[in-house]
Amino acid sequence: MLNIATIFSNILKIDPIQRQSIVSVFWQVSFTAIGFLSTMYFAHTAGASILGSYFLFLAYYGIFGMFTDGGFGGAAVKRISEGEEPDAYFSAYFLLRLVFTITGILVLLMFKDYFVGLNKAGIFDWLLLLLFVSALAGPISSGVAGKGKMGIRNTCEGISNISRVMIQVPAIYLGYETAGLAGGMVAGMIVAAVIEFRFFDLHLVNFQWKHIKSLSVFSFWLFLTSSGVLVFSQADTVLIGHFMDVENVGIYRVVLQFTGIATFSSNALRLTLWPRVSQWGKTKELYLIEESLSRAISYSLLLAIPVLVGGILLGDRLLYSFYGADFAQGYHVLIILLAVQVVNIFQYFFTMYLDALDHPQESFKVTAIGVGANIALNIILIPLIGINGAAIATLATMTLNALLAWRALSRHMTIKLERQSLSNIMMSSVVMGLLVGVYRLFVPLSNIWVTMLVVAFGGIAYGFLILKFDKKVYTEMKDIVEKVGIGFVWPGWL
C-alpha cells in the first residue's frame, strides 16, 4: 500500500525546482481535467453565447485588473525575491495596489453606462467585486511567490480554480448563466486567498519613498510589457466580439482553452523559475540561468509537440465529441492555436528571462511591436475570414515576438537549445503520429470512447518512444519516481 506520509517526505527531499514543478504540474493537470469537464458541461448546457459573454467578462477583468495592479505585483515579486527589506517592499506594494484599485473602481462607476454588454449580462457589479477581491488576494499571492514558496502558490492557484468550477457548475444548473460563472470566479479567488494567507510570513511595516521609487522603476516597464501581453492575449477576444457575435467568441475561447493541454509543463516551469532566475541574476550565476532556460524549453516542448501532432490528426473528432457540433467548426482554429502554443513557449520564456534579469525595458520593446502588429492583423483578418483570421494574426505576431525576444535576450546570455533532446521529441512525435494515423485510417471514430481510446494509445506510444530515445529524460524521470517512492517499479527494459 502507498504510504502518503512517506511520499510527501520524499517529495520534500527533491531538488526545489523539480519539487515545485511537480506540484505545479499536478495542479495544472488536476485543474485542466476539471476545467475540460466543466467546460464540456457549460457548452452542452448553456451554449456558446453564454460562454462567449463570460469570456468577454474575463477579458475586461484582465484589462482593468492590469491597470489596477499597475505592474507593481511583478515588481514586488522581483524585489522581495532579492531578499533585501522584503516587508517594506510588500507594504509599499499593498498600499499602491489598494489606491489604484479604489481609483479604478470609481472610474468604472462613473462610466458604467458605456459598458452595455456587461450591464445587459448583469455582471458589471461582479466585475467591480472581483477587482476589489483581487486587490487583497493579489498582494498575498505576490508575497508568497516572492519568498520562493512556489509550491504553496501553485497549490492555492489550483484550489482557486477548482473551487471556482465547483461553484460554477451548480450555478449553471440552477440557471444563473453568466452571473453564475462570474460569481464562481470571485468565490474561488476568496477561498484560495484565505488558505494562502496561512503560509504568508510578511508583515506590514513603515516604508520609505525609496521603496516606492524602486518598485516604480521596475514596474513601469513591467506594466507596459504586461499591458502589451494582456492586449496581445485579449485583443482577439474583444475584436471578435466587436466584429462578430458572442457565439463566435465562445467557440474561439473554448478552442483556445482546449489547446491549454499543450502548456502543462511550460506553465509549471514559468511559475517556478521566475524567482529562481531573479535570484541567480542577482548573484551573477549565469551558468545556472542558461542551463535552466535550455531545460525549460526542452521540457515544455516535450508535451507541446506531440499535442500539436495529435490535434492535427484527431482535433475535429475531439471538438465534436467534447463540446458539440457548434464547436466542431473550430477545427482549423484549433490547429493554428496549437502551433501558437508551441511558438509561445519560446516567446514567453525569452521575455520572462529578460524581466527576471532586470531588463524589462527590452521586453517591453519586443512586446510593443507585437501588440501593434497583432491589433492591425486582427482588424484586417477577422472581418475577412472570421475566427480563423484571429488565430492566424496571433500565430504571425507571436512568431515575430519570439524572434525579437530571442535577439534581445541573446545580448545578455548564451541561448543554448538542447538539439539532441529536441530531435528526440520530434522523432517520437512523428512516429506516434504515424501510428495514430494508421489507427484512424482503419478504425472509424464513431463515438467519444473510441476517440479517447486512440488518444490513450497515442499517449502511451509517445511516452514509451521518448523514454527509449532520450536518455536524459529517462534518467531524470526515473530519478524523480525513485525519490518520491510511490512503489512504482521502473521497467528495466526501457
Side-chain angles (χ1 to χ4, degrees):
M1 294 181 62
L2 293 178
N3 188 321
I4 302 300
T6 301
I7 291 175
F8 277 110
S9 177
N10 290 335
I11 289 175
L12 292 175
K13 298 176 184 177
I14 298 175
D15 173 77
I17 293 181
Q18 286 184 336
R19 181 179 70 244
Q20 292 171 1
S21 296
I22 290 170
V23 173
S24 185
V25 167
F26 169 78
W27 284 111
Q28 289 284 335
V29 172
S30 300
F31 172 65
T32 301
I34 294 173
F36 280 164
L37 293 173
S38 62
T39 302
M40 282 190 275
Y41 174 73
F42 299 152
H44 288 289
T45 304
S49 295
I50 297 300
L51 282 174
S53 297
Y54 174 61
F55 287 128
L56 282 176
F57 166 79
L58 293 181
Y60 284 123
Y61 164 68
I63 293 171
F64 297 133
M66 185 66 250
F67 283 101
T68 56
D69 177 77
F72 287 103
V77 172
K78 169 66 175 173
R79 297 307 181 212
I80 293 171
S81 71
E82 293 174 348
E84 298 177 3
E85 301 182 284
D87 289 330
Y89 280 115
F90 165 75
S91 302
Y93 165 53
F94 180 76
L95 180 61
L96 289 168
R97 177 69 181 265
L98 198 59
V99 170
F100 275 44
T101 299
I102 293 173
T103 303
I105 289 175
L106 292 175
V107 170
L108 285 172
L109 286 171
M110 290 173 58
F111 295 95
K112 178 178 180 179
D113 293 340
Y114 289 92
F115 297 96
V116 178
L118 294 178
N119 289 321
K120 185 177 180 181
I123 53 176
F124 181 83
D125 292 340
W126 284 110
L127 174 62
L128 300 182
L129 180 59
L130 186 58
L131 289 172
F132 180 75
V133 170
S134 67
L136 302 177
I140 294 174
S141 183
S142 295
V144 171
K147 295 290 285 184
K149 300 177 181 179
M150 296 308 299
I152 300 297
R153 184 183 185 277
N154 296 339
T155 298
C156 289
E157 184 179 12
I159 291 173
S160 172
N161 291 329
I162 292 172
S163 300
R164 167 164 57 89
V165 172
M166 290 176 65
I167 294 171
Q168 288 176 333
V169 170
I172 287 294
Y173 178 78
L174 295 173
Y176 287 102
E177 298 184 334
T178 309
L181 296 175
M185 180 78 177
V186 174
M189 186 178 293
I190 293 173
V191 170
V194 171
I195 297 174
E196 198 166 15
F197 186 72
R198 293 177 59 86
F199 303 92
F200 183 78
D201 58 3
L202 294 171
H203 304 88
L204 289 173
V205 299
N206 292 326
F207 55 88
Q208 301 175 8
W209 175 251
K210 68 175 184 179
H211 298 108
I212 294 179
K213 184 178 179 181
S214 179
L215 288 175
S216 300
V217 169
F218 190 82
S219 69
F220 174 74
W221 293 106
L222 191 61
F223 169 72
L224 293 177
T225 302
S226 300
S227 298
V229 171
L230 188 64
V231 172
F232 199 104
S233 63
Q234 301 296 347
D236 46 8
T237 301
V238 174
L239 289 173
I240 290 171
H242 176 73
F243 289 112
M244 306 179 75
D245 52 37
V246 291
E247 182 177 354
N248 282 283
V249 173
I251 294 171
Y252 182 85
R253 295 298 299 194
V254 164
V255 171
L256 180 60
Q257 183 199 60
F258 187 70
T259 65
I261 193 173
T263 63
F264 280 154
S265 49
S266 61
N267 285 339
L269 289 167
R270 292 171 189 175
L271 295 172
T272 302
L273 282 173
W274 165 267
R276 299 287 176 179
V277 175
S278 176
Q279 291 174 352
W280 293 332
K282 189 75 173 179
T283 54
K284 308 298 182 184
E285 297 178 272
L286 191 61
Y287 70 98
L288 289 176
I289 297 172
E290 293 175 349
E291 182 181 0
S292 68
L293 177 61
S294 62
R295 293 305 291 155
I297 291 176
S298 295
Y299 272 107
S300 297
L301 293 175
L302 193 65
L303 182 62
I305 296 296
V307 169
L308 171 60
V309 174
I312 294 172
L313 294 170
L314 304 172
D316 55 337
R317 294 305 306 170
L318 291 173
L319 290 176
Y320 181 85
S321 299
F322 289 164
Y323 305 111
D326 290 341
F327 294 89
Q329 60 185 293
Y331 170 66
H332 294 105
V333 173
L334 173 68
I335 302 307
I336 300 169
L337 291 180
L338 283 172
V340 168
Q341 298 291 10
V342 173
V343 176
N344 188 41
I345 289 170
F346 295 93
Q347 186 272 150
Y348 192 94
F349 277 122
F350 291 162
T351 54
M352 188 204 82
Y353 272 64
L354 282 171
D355 290 338
L357 294 175
D358 223 356
H359 301 291
Q361 66 276 17
E362 297 189 41
S363 180
F364 165 70
K365 293 175 184 177
V366 169
T367 305
I369 295 173
V371 167
N374 183 260
I375 293 175
L377 284 176
N378 271 301
I379 292 174
I380 294 171
L381 295 177
I382 291 176
L384 291 177
I385 51 179
I387 56 177
N388 290 329
I392 292 172
T394 301
L395 178 59
T397 50
M398 188 70 74
T399 303
L400 174 64
N401 254 28
L403 292 172
L404 293 175
W406 169 79
R407 181 181 178 186
L409 184 60
S410 62
R411 299 192 190 104
H412 305 285
M413 58 178 282
T414 301
I415 300 176
K416 299 177 290 187
L417 298 180
E418 297 178 328
R419 297 186 178 182
Q420 185 59 50
S421 291
L422 297 182
S423 175
N424 292 333
I425 292 170
M426 293 297 297
M427 182 165 56
S428 300
S429 299
V430 169
V431 174
M432 177 209 70
L434 291 173
L435 294 173
V436 171
V438 171
Y439 184 108
R440 181 167 186 181
L441 188 63
F442 292 99
V443 181
L445 305 183
S446 56
N447 58 61
I448 188 172
W449 303 113
V450 177
T451 304
M452 290 305 299
L453 181 62
V454 70
V455 170
F457 167 71
I460 293 171
Y462 174 76
F464 169 79
L465 290 167
I466 195 64
L467 290 174
K468 196 69 176 176
F469 291 151
D470 199 310
K471 295 303 179 184
K472 183 179 289 188
V473 172
Y474 169 87
T475 301
E476 292 185 358
M477 291 299 297
K478 180 182 179 182
D479 183 56
I480 290 173
V481 168
E482 290 178 345
K483 285 181 179 178
V484 172
I486 59 176
F488 174 75
V489 179
W490 193 263
W493 44 267
L494 271 175

